[in-house]
Amino acid sequence: MRYLIFFLSFLVFSCQQTTTESETNDYDICIYGGSSAGVIAAHTAEKLGKSVLLISSDKHLGGLSASGLGATDIGNKYAVTGLARDFYRRLGDHYGKLESWTFEPHVAEQLFNQYIDNADVEVWYNYRLQDATKEGTVLQQITVENAADGSTKTVSAKQFIDASYVGDLLAKADVSYTVGRESNELYGETINGVQLREYHQFPPFKNEPHYVDPYVIEGDSTSGLCYGISDEELAPDGTGDEKLQAYNYRLCITQNVDNQVPFARPENYDSTNYELLRRLILQREELGWEQKLNYFYLSIIAMPNGKTDINNKGAFSTDFIGMNYDYPEASYERRAEIEEEHRAYIEGLFYFLSHEPSLPDDLRNEMLSWGWSKDEFTDNGHFPWKMYIREARRMVGEYVMTEHNCLGDEVVDDPIGLAAYTMDSHNCQRVVVRRDGKAMVKNEGDVQVGGFPPYPIAYSSLTPKREECTNLLVPVCLSASHIAYGSIRMEPVFMVMGQVTATAAAMAIDGETSVQTIDVSALQNALSTKPYLDGRLADILIDNEDQELVTVGDWGTLKGGFNLKQNKININYTKDDVADKSIRFELPELTEGEYDLYYYVPNIRKEITWSETAKMRLYDSEGTPTEETVSLVDQAQSWVRVTNVDFSQNPIEAVEIVTQGGGNYIPADAFLLLDAKKVEL
């Protein structure tokens, strides 16, 4: 009997082992993180013929781009290429235009899901990283846990991509990283580390003739500090530390009463948490300042269909300053607590602004006119799913991007994409300083330095040091100093880097080599010649910076616009006061391909009014013109379709913008040729 039991036990064990082996999770590329970068990376890898697994710690894909951040931060849209550009064009299709850089959260999430469905990507939802195994420099496998029931799965892959906002996989893989702000001394920078400047004070406007007292009982230092103020001694400017720029949520609210959920009093609401804001509002009221939400307290950015993307604005707003320091290294349980604390803070802030009796009636009534958008985040109380993690861990890889790259003082030799945004850090702490013998509260850490053109990102800033790991790529928590990351860390750039890393991972597999030693020139060629991975040709930009334009009549340079490539103020224009002034753009020598031709309408300055229409003459190889007229009404800062051009049938060599005597102005900034082929997801 004993032998029978042993035999049966062995049989059961063998069956279990067979089942485990049959369920071995083995892929070419494993992507950890359901962010926008993760989705684009997964779509790319499948389109390149690789077996792919996307692991999301959330139940929703798309990260911040599907969780309220509908006001795209980019600085210069020319920097956005490949599938990232495709993303904003498909949003444009939804809203009836070429591109849409503002959008509703649920529309973005639907589009991310379409990318996944189109490529038939396998996705594991609500799985979070537990462990990783390496042999030498090769990451062999990872173990992930189901957040709901605690069950685990093990995944092996030839290549891994950490597309998370926090950098959990790179940390588990023992890759070097940093958290917080480097000192200026480390990389020879000027705006890293502690940054306390007079124009970054609390209040944020240097001309305000008042200060906000930091103590619970005003003027009484023994009464303790108001909520949210640090009691740490402030370090000198440029000093490194482990403090993080503040997190918040990007919020979708509306004034449409038919699609509105009122702001409710949160559980455990404490109005004293907003005492500094109350003091600030009342001081402005005493000075006769106009109390408008969008002037000082909330950045209210209009989205389609009467909705918003709300971001932090001013000295006291949706940023929960100083309350996120332990998030990057925290347990999943502690992270959930921090997320809930941030949510409670914002819900309390909205309730305070709409119900606090000591506030001016006009301000409270304005806040009461808003409410949560009923048709957004329907399984989360209409509150965004994803907290805005502006930075967490940052890899220290083969190359570290710094302030010098942003300013163009140093240029990388392995460029694979562009960044274009201002070097941007939100506040990191709220402290007490003394001015004129008085104690006052000030915010520290805010930096906004821009004005530079798009600059290249190094491929080697996406790779770990080769002695640490040779089959991991990092498109989000990439290798950059705190202040350089503040420029790079934009959702469109993350999507571009997602495509880059997936393409590089596929090349490493095909070449049986490490991610550090792939042919970067071949990577650059793949990204530029096959940007959409669906047979469509690359875009062709014809910009006024790229050629000498032949003009007839008086054409000048408009000050105050922007150039698509260099952020320069250089838009040719003329007054449409007489007929037949012209400006000629030469098109590239193409003999095949069917394209749609688009004309760019720059943003309108107050003293400039564009004509309602623009007339174009298109010249074929024999100099024979055809004419097209396009409407410029409500088209500021957008591309307007002119016509279809089939170069295999009738090559077009040039296009002229021709005045008609309408009286207003005509711009001449750029044209764009887009593959006319329509590809549905």
Side-chain angles (χ1 to χ4, degrees):
M1 185 66 178
R2 185 174 59 197
Y3 294 108
L4 179 60
I5 293 173
F6 174 81
F7 176 76
L8 291 174
S9 300
F10 175 80
L11 209 59
V12 170
F13 175 78
S14 299
C15 290
Q16 288 175 338
Q17 288 295 96
T18 302
T19 302
T20 301
E21 290 173 3
S22 68
E23 293 178 354
T24 298
N25 302 292
D26 192 11
Y27 300 86
D28 289 327
I29 300 175
C30 175
I31 300 163
Y32 182 74
S35 63
S36 58
V39 171
I40 295 301
H43 179 89
T44 299
E46 281 283 2
K47 290 296 183 180
L48 293 175
K50 304 307 176 188
S51 60
V52 181
L53 173 65
L54 175 61
I55 302 174
S56 174
S57 60
D58 307 309
K59 59 182 178 181
H60 299 278
L61 295 179
L64 265 295
S65 288
S67 194
L69 206 168
T72 306
D73 293 322
I74 184 55
N76 189 319
K77 297 177 178 63
Y78 177 80
V80 183
T81 55
L83 288 171
R85 175 71 71 167
D86 183 70
F87 174 79
Y88 294 103
R89 288 195 180 141
R90 292 188 184 277
L91 287 171
D93 289 342
H94 179 86
Y95 292 113
K97 57 180 76 173
L98 176 63
E99 299 167 347
S100 185
W101 301 86
T102 58
F103 48 88
E104 299 159 273
H106 78 274
V107 175
E109 185 183 16
Q110 290 169 0
L111 181 52
F112 283 121
N113 289 335
Q114 288 172 20
Y115 278 109
I116 292 300
D117 294 342
N118 173 263
D120 197 23
V121 173
E122 183 178 354
V123 182
W124 292 355
Y125 294 94
N126 284 321
Y127 275 87
R128 54 200 190 188
L129 186 65
Q130 289 297 309
D131 200 6
T133 303
K134 275 200 318 184
E135 282 190 15
T137 63
V138 178
L139 184 55
Q140 297 286 338
Q141 63 183 27
I142 63 173
T143 301
V144 292
E145 175 190 60
N146 187 296
D149 61 20
S151 61
T152 61
K153 293 183 179 182
T154 299
V155 181
S156 61
K158 297 173 183 174
Q159 295 289 332
F160 291 86
I161 295 173
D162 185 345
S164 70
Y165 288 106
V166 188
D168 282 337
L169 181 52
L170 71 89
K172 288 289 186 183
D174 294 326
V175 167
S176 296
Y177 66 87
T178 189
V179 175
R181 303 180 286 186
E182 298 89 350
S183 69
N184 275 332
E185 183 180 10
L186 181 61
Y187 297 120
E189 295 176 301
T190 62
I191 51 175
N192 210 336
V194 171
Q195 295 292 313
L196 183 67
R197 305 177 184 184
E198 287 305 312
Y199 58 87
H200 291 147
Q201 67 185 25
F202 183 117
F205 305 101
K206 60 182 178 181
N207 294 324
E208 290 195 53
H210 60 279
Y211 65 93
V212 174
D213 190 286
Y215 302 118
V216 173
I217 300 174
E218 295 188 58
D220 182 0
S221 61
T222 66
S223 64
L225 295 170
C226 288
Y227 180 79
I229 301 176
S230 171
D231 61 0
E232 287 187 26
E233 183 177 347
L234 183 66
D237 270 12
T239 303
D241 57 29
E242 296 184 354
K243 294 179 172 61
L244 299 168
Q245 58 177 308
Y247 297 170
N248 67 351
Y249 283 83
R250 299 295 284 261
L251 307 163
C252 187
I253 65 177
T254 182
Q255 290 177 308
N256 178 1
V257 294
D258 295 327
N259 188 35
Q260 194 181 78
V261 176
F263 303 129
R265 180 186 175 95
E267 189 177 350
N268 300 321
Y269 170 72
D270 184 350
S271 64
T272 64
N273 291 348
Y274 311 97
E275 174 61 18
L276 293 175
L277 176 59
R278 189 186 70 83
R279 293 178 186 181
L280 180 59
I281 291 171
L282 294 182
Q283 285 194 22
R284 285 175 173 157
E285 186 74 3
E286 291 172 2
L287 291 167
W289 288 45
E290 187 176 7
Q291 300 288 338
K292 292 286 188 181
L293 285 174
N294 202 34
Y295 284 3
F296 304 113
Y297 309 115
L298 300 174
S299 176
I300 303 176
I301 312 164
M303 296 295 107
N305 294 318
K307 298 175 186 176
T308 71
D309 171 358
I310 299 285
N311 195 13
N312 186 82
K313 187 167 189 176
F316 197 113
S317 185
T318 59
D319 279 0
F320 201 17
I321 298 172
M323 303 300 180
N324 59 344
Y325 297 159
D326 57 339
Y327 190 89
E329 305 282 15
S331 67
Y332 294 118
E333 293 73 21
R334 175 59 188 141
R335 286 181 186 171
E337 290 174 356
I338 295 171
E339 291 162 5
E340 185 55 38
E341 289 163 4
H342 279 67
R343 175 173 180 166
Y345 164 77
I346 290 174
E347 289 179 333
L349 172 67
F350 278 24
Y351 187 80
F352 179 85
L353 286 169
S354 56
H355 290 82
E356 170 59 33
S358 66
L359 300 188
D361 290 343
D362 288 349
L363 192 63
R364 282 192 293 108
N365 290 334
E366 184 183 1
M367 193 69 207
L368 282 168
S369 71
W370 295 92
W372 305 114
S373 296
K374 187 186 299 184
D375 60 347
E376 299 289 351
F377 314 119
T378 55
D379 62 349
N380 198 43
H382 313 288
F383 197 87
W385 301 301
K386 193 74 176 176
M387 186 169 67
Y388 193 175
I389 302 168
R390 290 191 170 93
E391 65 178 307
R393 297 184 181 99
R394 300 187 312 281
M395 179 173 66
V396 180
E398 288 270 289
Y399 184 89
V400 180
M401 299 290 293
T402 69
E403 163 187 325
H404 308 297
N405 299 114
C406 302
L407 296 175
D409 297 332
E410 292 181 8
V411 181
V412 304
D413 57 11
D414 56 347
I416 38 70
L418 296 172
Y421 200 70
T422 295
M423 285 185 282
D424 171 19
S425 174
H426 284 232
N427 284 301
C428 300
Q429 59 181 327
R430 188 166 280 159
V431 296
V432 178
V433 300
R434 300 192 73 84
R435 293 289 185 268
D436 301 323
K438 295 181 179 180
M440 64 180 292
V441 57
K442 293 182 73 172
N443 294 334
E444 182 278 313
D446 181 77
V447 179
Q448 308 288 325
V449 176
F452 42 81
Y455 59 91
I457 298 170
Y459 171 68
S460 48
S461 70
L462 309 177
T463 67
K465 297 173 183 177
R466 61 193 67 201
E467 64 269 21
E468 293 182 347
C469 190
T470 51
N471 66 330
L472 173 68
L473 288 152
V474 183
V476 177
C477 296
L478 53 81
S479 180
S481 71
H482 158 75
I483 198 60
Y485 191 79
S487 171
I488 296 168
R489 63 170 181 84
M490 303 302 152
E491 288 288 296
V493 178
F494 288 159
M495 285 188 260
V496 171
M497 296 302 107
Q499 184 171 359
V500 169
T501 52
T503 306
M507 291 176 60
I509 292 171
D510 293 342
E512 298 182 350
T513 189
S514 71
V515 296
Q516 290 85 0
T517 56
I518 65 163
D519 185 343
V520 176
S521 63
L523 173 61
Q524 294 165 337
N525 182 66
L527 295 168
S528 62
T529 58
K530 298 179 180 178
Y532 305 118
L533 302 173
D534 56 12
R536 283 179 291 164
L537 301 169
D539 304 352
I540 300 173
L541 178 67
I542 306 103
D543 190 79
N544 63 348
E545 282 288 294
D546 298 334
Q547 58 183 266
E548 291 291 330
L549 302 178
V550 178
T551 61
V552 175
D554 180 26
W555 288 78
T557 300
L558 173 65
K559 302 297 182 183
F562 69 90
N563 174 269
L564 292 173
K565 285 190 175 180
Q566 302 298 328
N567 274 359
K568 292 179 181 176
I569 301 171
N570 188 3
I571 298 171
N572 294 97
Y573 82 114
T574 191
K575 190 170 180 63
D576 187 15
D577 48 359
V578 297
D580 289 336
K581 292 182 188 178
S582 64
I583 187 165
R584 183 183 178 96
F585 288 72
E586 300 293 333
L587 301 189
E589 295 181 5
L590 299 176
T591 58
E592 59 183 15
E594 185 177 349
Y595 291 86
D596 286 325
L597 178 67
Y598 285 85
Y599 164 69
Y600 190 73
V601 184
N603 198 21
I604 300 174
R605 297 170 62 210
K606 291 181 180 179
E607 64 269 31
I608 294 294
T609 302
W610 297 137
S611 293
E612 291 188 357
T613 60
K615 182 179 178 181
M616 316 281 171
R617 288 182 184 148
L618 284 75
Y619 292 88
D620 63 17
S621 57
E622 298 183 0
T624 304
T626 57
E627 293 189 352
E628 300 286 346
T629 300
V630 298
S631 172
L632 307 189
V633 176
D634 296 327
Q635 296 291 351
Q637 207 167 342
S638 63
W639 293 99
V640 181
R641 185 178 181 277
V642 179
T643 190
N644 176 268
V645 180
D646 189 342
F647 284 90
S648 63
Q649 300 294 322
N650 184 27
I652 300 299
E653 293 190 345
V655 56
E656 282 183 348
I657 304 168
V658 184
T659 59
Q660 306 166 83
N664 290 317
Y665 290 86
I666 297 289
D669 191 19
F671 286 91
L672 185 66
L673 289 167
L674 300 184
D675 193 325
K677 190 186 297 102
K678 301 298 181 186
V679 179
E680 299 295 330
L681 278 178

